Amino acid sequence: MKTLPHNDEAEKAILGSLLMREDAYDIVSGILDASDFYQPMNAVIFTAITKMKEASNRAIDYITLIDYLKKEGMLDKAGGLAYVASLTESVNVTANTEQYAEIVKEMSLRRSLISLCTSLTEKALNETEDIKQVLDEGQSEMLRLSLTGSRGETDYSITSAVSSVVDRIMKKMDGSLADDSVPSGFDILDKYTNGGFKPQDYIVVAARPSIGKTAFGVSMIRNMIRNTERPQRVAFFSLEMPASQITERLLANISHVNLRNIAQADLAEESFDRVMNAADMLFSKELYIIDVPNIRLNELRAKARSLKREKDITVIMIDYIGLIDPGLGPQTPRHEVIATVSRSLKSLARELKIPIIVLCQVSRDSEEKAPILSNLRDSGSIEQDADVVMFLHRKRILSEEEKQRNAKDSEGKATLQVTKVIVAKQRNGETGEFKVGYNATTTSFEQVLQNADFIEPTPPDKRGYEKK
């Protein structure tokens, strides 16, 4: 077998620079750590110098290093007196410290890549391994290696940060930089989010069952793909409904034809034409519906990466978080399962640099009451991880008299049941609430006037239910 990639001369030159050049440590420590050295004795010496610097930021030379290694009983592992002394023998060791560090880093990355490929090969050959999990681990590790390889090139100064932000502002103002926010299509919500959901945002939309989480999500998708100025490329992970049912809802949303009539193919000529026009419109849009029930977390992440790479999707929606299987085993407490999924989705949003919208249930404690953050079901970590948390709140069933108080739709009919959207958390904006209208016949949400009549739900204890 060939010797793994390494460069002994560059490793020794770096260590020599650290002993002879006072600013060398600041240069090298931003690029390398001890694991990047191929020769074990060089890693020992680098670790010793790092610990000495952490204990006291004074200059380190051959004498102080030897003294430290003796006290720690590490001199023999560091190659002995003669080897440590040889590190400063070359007069050129301080000339190109940063370049030497980059050489060592490159060799380290090559070894890591070889090790990763070997490990993946072994796991792929082992039929007891879950191949989807192996693929997810491989993608994650490959990305980590890629980011590790560029860490020495990052400028962390406030000067760089300010320059970047100002440049972005100027380009947006003169129109040379496209707005990368994702509008929801609901004007007031977009005002709350300063123009739309931002790249890397992790957004949670939560409600009790039958309030319309999926309908609200599908309505946002409808708005996103129909946006004439900035049409979005959407990936919708539908874990509860098949793609056919989601498509029927979209057709009902767009055509304003009763969903029941579409599902039963009971369409008059005029309704049929509207549905076909809606279908024609959907044909031209970039919407990808992944309907895998109880999807494994690593499979979801792999599909999301693939869609980002191949289709350049701009937003992901997931319905809903409780149906994602993180593969932790049946004995894992439910709150730990949800916490693991939530952290992973937040990480995925940052990795792909697109917003991820996740639908979520709230606990029964909020039955017919306005939900609050503590009602997020199964895990407080969702509240902690999310950049934006929104709740949907309305009365579930209306009396005939109450239906007459519904807001009017675009055809002037009282079909829109007023629903409150409560923005309970937002890292970069205001919290508050606003109203939208729910159309039960088309399972769609529409914009309504904010003075529309909101019918307060009846508390459970006043409806004869057992009080919790």
Side-chain angles (χ1 to χ4, degrees), residues 155-173:
D155 185 351
Y156 297 103
S157 70
I158 187 62
T159 302
S160 173
V162 170
S163 296
S164 176
V165 170
V166 170
D167 181 60
R168 186 179 182 84
I169 291 171
M170 298 295 287
K171 287 181 177 178
K172 279 192 174 183
M173 289 180 68

Side-chain angles (χ1 to χ4, degrees), residues 369-395:
K369 296 185 295 184
I372 58 178
L373 289 170
S374 61
N375 295 137
L376 287 170
R377 189 167 181 177
D378 294 319
S379 177
S381 68
I382 297 176
E383 173 191 348
Q384 176 182 318
D385 296 332
D387 297 290
V388 180
V389 178
M390 294 181 288
F391 294 105
L392 304 179
H393 178 52
R394 64 176 171 83
K395 189 170 184 178

Side-chain angles (χ1 to χ4, degrees), residues 265-334:
D266 181 17
L267 299 169
E269 183 176 350
E270 188 267 342
S271 295
F272 178 78
D273 289 342
R274 283 159 57 183
V275 171
M276 290 301 102
N277 288 335
D280 285 341
M281 189 277 288
L282 285 176
F283 270 124
S284 64
K285 302 303 179 182
E286 294 190 78
L287 171 61
Y288 307 92
I289 303 175
I290 303 91
D291 60 344
V292 181
N294 298 312
I295 193 171
R296 293 285 294 267
L297 178 60
N298 52 29
E299 183 181 357
L300 185 151
R301 289 166 59 89
K303 289 182 182 297
R305 292 189 188 107
S306 176
L307 285 164
K308 177 60 179 175
R309 182 177 62 252
E310 297 174 9
K311 306 297 183 182
D312 193 25
I313 55 172
T314 55
V315 59
I316 289 173
M317 186 175 293
I318 301 171
D319 181 18
Y320 65 98
I321 192 171
L323 297 179
I324 301 172
D325 177 13
L328 297 179
Q331 304 304 317
T332 307
R334 185 63 181 167

Side-chain angles (χ1 to χ4, degrees), residues 25 28-38 42-43 46-47 50 101 104-105 108 111 144 148 151:
Y25 183 78
V28 173
S29 61
I31 302 173
L32 301 175
D33 56 39
S35 64
D36 291 317
F37 288 84
Y38 178 74
N42 293 338
F46 186 81
T47 300
T50 299
V104 171
K105 187 66 186 180
S108 174
R111 295 194 301 273
R144 183 188 65 78
T148 301
R151 68 178 181 177

Side-chain angles (χ1 to χ4, degrees), residues 336-400:
E336 289 185 20
V337 169
I338 298 298
T340 299
V341 173
S342 179
R343 284 193 301 269
S344 182
L345 295 178
K346 170 63 177 176
S347 174
L348 185 64
R350 295 195 63 183
E351 175 187 327
L352 301 183
K353 294 181 173 57
I354 59 174
I356 293 182
I357 305 168
V358 178
L359 308 187
C360 177
Q361 290 192 4
V362 298
S363 64
R364 295 181 63 86
D365 295 341
S366 65
E367 180 69 25
E368 300 292 11
K369 296 185 295 184
I372 58 178
L373 289 170
S374 61
N375 295 137
L376 287 170
R377 189 167 181 177
D378 294 319
S379 177
S381 68
I382 297 176
E383 173 191 348
Q384 176 182 318
D385 296 332
D387 297 290
V388 180
V389 178
M390 294 181 288
F391 294 105
L392 304 179
H393 178 52
R394 64 176 171 83
K395 189 170 184 178
R396 222 190 304 255
I397 302 174
L398 299 183
S399 66
E400 289 303 316

Side-chain angles (χ1 to χ4, degrees), residues 48-61:
I49 292 173
T50 299
K51 290 182 177 179
M52 292 172 71
K53 277 289 185 181
E54 290 174 352
S56 172
N57 199 31
R58 290 179 294 183
I60 299 171
D61 58 21

